[in-house]
Amino acid sequence: MPPTGLPPYDDTNIFARILRGEIPSRRVHEDEFAVAFHDINPQAPVHVLVIPRGAYVSLADFSASASEAEIAGFWRAVGRVAKELGLEARGYRALTNMGPEGGQEVPHFHVHLFGGRPLGRMVPASGA
């Protein structure tokens, strides 16, 4: 069953295990607030995940529960990773999913960074 995006946090999820070093990852960045690593099933030439070190289920949980320092540090890390990967010049997409209808698969807040090719529309036109 897909995560709800709401607490409680499940510390057995794959990203929690990556943070603890139980599962290897191809890290591209880490600091006191965030860890970034290549997605194991990339959807674009560049597909990196940026996750906070704290135990937050989703953006809803993170924005409601994280400290101001954690929030600022995390979003600065997202920007830093995009710049370090050379994505700024041509553009990129930053995406986070929340809950079942949003497509959230892992119950740990994370941002996908996609780049390296034209990405097209994010959501098909509704026809309305």
Side-chain angles (χ1 to χ4, degrees):
M1 175 154 186
T4 68
L6 301 173
Y9 181 81
D10 174 7
D11 68 358
T12 65
N13 77 73
I14 191 168
F15 293 166
R17 295 179 66 207
I18 286 171
L19 284 170
R20 291 192 300 264
E22 297 170 8
I23 296 175
S25 63
R26 290 182 29 224
R27 294 182 184 206
V28 297
H29 174 87
E30 55 186 306
D31 63 26
E32 67 183 292
F33 300 107
V35 172
F37 52 91
H38 290 277
D39 193 291
I40 60 169
N41 184 26
Q43 304 300 303
V46 177
H47 184 176
V48 169
L49 301 169
V50 186
I51 64 175
R53 288 194 179 269
Y56 303 103
V57 178
S58 64
L59 177 57
D61 184 22
F62 182 70
S63 63
S65 305
S67 70
E68 289 183 22
E70 286 176 294
I71 293 170
F74 175 78
W75 287 109
R76 284 188 182 113
V78 171
R80 189 174 306 118
V81 169
K83 183 175 185 172
E84 290 171 358
L85 293 173
L87 298 175
E88 287 183 343
R90 292 179 52 203
Y92 62 94
R93 178 170 295 148
L95 171 77
T96 186
N97 300 312
M98 196 308 207
E101 289 191 11
Q104 185 175 7
E105 295 177 3
V106 178
H108 185 108
F109 171 53
H110 56 287
V111 171
H112 296 259
L113 290 177
F114 301 100
R117 68 167 169 81
L119 298 169
R121 291 187 62 91
M122 188 167 67
V123 177
S126 67

